[in-house]
Short mmCIF file of all heavy atoms in Angstrom, two decimals:
data_model
loop_
_atom_site.label_atom_id
_atom_site.label_comp_id
_atom_site.label_asym_id
_atom_site.label_seq_id
_atom_site.Cartn_x
_atom_site.Cartn_y
_atom_site.Cartn_z
N HIS A 444 2.06 -21.19 6.79
CA HIS A 444 1.80 -22.46 7.48
C HIS A 444 3.09 -23.27 7.64
O HIS A 444 3.38 -23.83 8.70
CB HIS A 444 0.76 -23.26 6.70
CG HIS A 444 0.39 -24.56 7.33
ND1 HIS A 444 -0.29 -24.64 8.53
CD2 HIS A 444 0.61 -25.85 6.93
CE1 HIS A 444 -0.47 -25.92 8.84
NE2 HIS A 444 0.07 -26.66 7.89
N THR A 445 3.89 -23.30 6.57
CA THR A 445 5.19 -23.99 6.64
C THR A 445 6.13 -23.29 7.60
O THR A 445 6.87 -23.94 8.36
CB THR A 445 5.82 -24.05 5.23
OG1 THR A 445 4.92 -24.69 4.33
CG2 THR A 445 7.13 -24.81 5.25
N ALA A 446 6.11 -21.95 7.60
CA ALA A 446 6.99 -21.19 8.50
C ALA A 446 6.67 -21.50 9.96
O ALA A 446 7.58 -21.63 10.79
CB ALA A 446 6.83 -19.69 8.22
N ARG A 447 5.40 -21.64 10.28
CA ARG A 447 5.01 -21.97 11.66
C ARG A 447 5.60 -23.32 12.07
O ARG A 447 6.11 -23.49 13.17
CB ARG A 447 3.50 -22.00 11.79
CG ARG A 447 2.81 -20.66 11.72
CD ARG A 447 1.33 -20.78 12.03
NE ARG A 447 0.63 -19.52 11.82
CZ ARG A 447 -0.06 -19.22 10.72
NH1 ARG A 447 -0.14 -20.09 9.73
NH2 ARG A 447 -0.65 -18.04 10.61
N LYS A 448 5.52 -24.30 11.17
CA LYS A 448 6.03 -25.64 11.49
C LYS A 448 7.53 -25.63 11.72
O LYS A 448 8.05 -26.45 12.49
CB LYS A 448 5.66 -26.62 10.36
CG LYS A 448 4.17 -26.89 10.25
CD LYS A 448 3.87 -28.10 9.38
CE LYS A 448 4.31 -27.89 7.96
NZ LYS A 448 3.92 -29.02 7.08
N LEU A 449 8.23 -24.69 11.07
CA LEU A 449 9.68 -24.61 11.24
C LEU A 449 10.09 -23.76 12.44
O LEU A 449 11.28 -23.63 12.74
CB LEU A 449 10.32 -24.04 9.97
CG LEU A 449 10.26 -24.94 8.73
CD1 LEU A 449 10.80 -24.21 7.51
CD2 LEU A 449 11.04 -26.23 8.97
N GLY A 450 9.11 -23.15 13.12
CA GLY A 450 9.42 -22.38 14.31
C GLY A 450 9.54 -20.89 14.10
O GLY A 450 9.92 -20.17 15.03
N LEU A 451 9.21 -20.37 12.90
CA LEU A 451 9.25 -18.93 12.69
C LEU A 451 8.00 -18.30 13.30
O LEU A 451 6.93 -18.90 13.33
CB LEU A 451 9.30 -18.59 11.20
CG LEU A 451 10.69 -18.55 10.56
CD1 LEU A 451 11.13 -19.96 10.19
CD2 LEU A 451 10.67 -17.68 9.30
N LYS A 452 8.15 -17.08 13.74
CA LYS A 452 7.02 -16.30 14.24
C LYS A 452 6.25 -15.74 13.05
O LYS A 452 6.85 -15.23 12.10
CB LYS A 452 7.53 -15.15 15.12
CG LYS A 452 6.48 -14.15 15.55
CD LYS A 452 7.13 -12.99 16.29
CE LYS A 452 6.12 -11.88 16.57
NZ LYS A 452 6.78 -10.70 17.19
N VAL A 453 4.92 -15.82 13.07
CA VAL A 453 4.06 -15.24 12.03
C VAL A 453 3.34 -14.04 12.64
O VAL A 453 2.70 -14.17 13.68
CB VAL A 453 3.06 -16.27 11.49
CG1 VAL A 453 2.14 -15.64 10.45
CG2 VAL A 453 3.79 -17.47 10.88
N ASP A 454 3.48 -12.89 12.00
CA ASP A 454 2.97 -11.65 12.60
C ASP A 454 1.47 -11.69 12.86
O ASP A 454 0.96 -11.00 13.74
CB ASP A 454 3.33 -10.45 11.72
CG ASP A 454 2.77 -10.55 10.31
OD1 ASP A 454 2.24 -11.61 9.95
OD2 ASP A 454 2.86 -9.56 9.56
N GLU A 455 0.75 -12.51 12.13
CA GLU A 455 -0.70 -12.56 12.22
C GLU A 455 -1.20 -13.38 13.41
O GLU A 455 -2.40 -13.40 13.68
CB GLU A 455 -1.26 -13.15 10.92
CG GLU A 455 -2.65 -12.71 10.58
CD GLU A 455 -3.02 -13.10 9.17
OE1 GLU A 455 -3.49 -14.24 8.97
OE2 GLU A 455 -2.82 -12.27 8.26
N ASP A 456 -0.30 -14.04 14.10
CA ASP A 456 -0.71 -14.98 15.15
C ASP A 456 -0.91 -14.32 16.52
O ASP A 456 -1.18 -15.03 17.49
CB ASP A 456 0.33 -16.11 15.28
CG ASP A 456 0.31 -17.02 14.06
OD1 ASP A 456 -0.64 -16.92 13.26
OD2 ASP A 456 1.24 -17.82 13.92
N CYS A 457 -0.79 -13.00 16.62
CA CYS A 457 -0.98 -12.36 17.91
C CYS A 457 -2.44 -12.47 18.33
O CYS A 457 -3.34 -12.60 17.50
CB CYS A 457 -0.53 -10.90 17.87
SG CYS A 457 -1.58 -9.83 16.89
N GLU A 458 -2.68 -12.40 19.63
CA GLU A 458 -4.02 -12.66 20.18
C GLU A 458 -5.05 -11.66 19.67
O GLU A 458 -6.16 -12.03 19.29
CB GLU A 458 -3.96 -12.61 21.71
CG GLU A 458 -5.30 -12.92 22.37
CD GLU A 458 -5.23 -12.85 23.89
OE1 GLU A 458 -4.13 -12.57 24.41
OE2 GLU A 458 -6.27 -13.06 24.54
N GLU A 459 -4.69 -10.37 19.63
CA GLU A 459 -5.65 -9.36 19.18
C GLU A 459 -6.08 -9.60 17.75
O GLU A 459 -7.27 -9.48 17.41
CB GLU A 459 -5.04 -7.96 19.31
CG GLU A 459 -4.94 -7.44 20.73
CD GLU A 459 -4.41 -6.02 20.76
OE1 GLU A 459 -3.66 -5.66 19.84
OE2 GLU A 459 -4.74 -5.28 21.70
N CYS A 460 -5.13 -9.93 16.90
CA CYS A 460 -5.43 -10.17 15.49
C CYS A 460 -6.34 -11.38 15.32
O CYS A 460 -7.31 -11.34 14.54
CB CYS A 460 -4.13 -10.35 14.71
SG CYS A 460 -4.35 -10.57 12.93
N GLN A 461 -6.08 -12.44 16.05
CA GLN A 461 -6.88 -13.66 15.91
C GLN A 461 -8.28 -13.48 16.47
O GLN A 461 -9.25 -14.00 15.92
CB GLN A 461 -6.16 -14.83 16.59
CG GLN A 461 -4.91 -15.29 15.86
CD GLN A 461 -5.18 -15.64 14.39
OE1 GLN A 461 -6.05 -16.45 14.10
NE2 GLN A 461 -4.43 -15.02 13.50
N LYS A 462 -8.42 -12.75 17.57
CA LYS A 462 -9.75 -12.48 18.12
C LYS A 462 -10.58 -11.67 17.13
O LYS A 462 -11.78 -11.92 16.93
CB LYS A 462 -9.63 -11.75 19.45
CG LYS A 462 -9.18 -12.62 20.61
CD LYS A 462 -8.97 -11.80 21.88
CE LYS A 462 -10.26 -11.20 22.39
NZ LYS A 462 -10.05 -10.48 23.67
N ALA A 463 -9.95 -10.68 16.51
CA ALA A 463 -10.65 -9.85 15.52
C ALA A 463 -11.04 -10.69 14.30
O ALA A 463 -12.14 -10.53 13.75
CB ALA A 463 -9.76 -8.68 15.11
#
Side-chain angles (χ1 to χ4, degrees):
H444 182 67
T445 303
R447 289 187 187 98
K448 292 195 297 185
L449 292 175
L451 274 82
K452 172 186 173 185
V453 178
D454 59 351
E455 207 168 87
D456 291 348
C457 70
E458 182 180 0
E459 286 184 332
C460 183
Q461 289 305 306
K462 286 175 65 176

